[in-house]
Amino acid sequence: MEIELHSTLTCPHCGHQADEIMPTDACQFFYDCVGCGELLRPKTGDCCVFCSYGSVPCPPIQQQKSCCG
């Protein structure tokens, strides 16, 4: 299974979209929206901002592994 490293983050506050490359060795807990400046955090139950607001979940989740543990 090939891991996708590109994900499009969509801000839930203003709808701004940004194409980002996900880290493979760490979780990204925070993301500053370029559109409105809002600091995004993961939703309850999600491990990172990519799992909450991205078009593709983070690499460990794609591999069905524990993320950020």
Side-chain angles (χ1 to χ4, degrees):
M1 176 181 172
E2 189 171 328
I3 302 302
E4 177 62 50
L5 297 179
H6 293 268
S7 185
T8 301
L9 285 173
T10 302
C11 178
H13 302 283
C14 73
H16 182 268
Q17 293 187 324
D19 291 324
E20 300 290 343
I21 297 175
M22 295 181 280
T24 58
D25 59 350
C27 281
Q28 188 163 337
F29 295 109
F30 304 106
Y31 180 80
D32 288 312
C33 176
V34 178
C36 68
E38 188 72 29
L39 180 64
L40 304 185
R41 294 179 177 89
K43 295 177 186 176
T44 303
D46 285 342
C47 62
C48 65
V49 293
F50 291 104
C51 287
S52 292
Y53 308 109
S55 59
V56 176
C58 69
I61 297 299
Q62 290 180 52
Q63 294 175 312
Q64 298 179 345
K65 294 181 180 176
S66 174
C67 182
C68 316

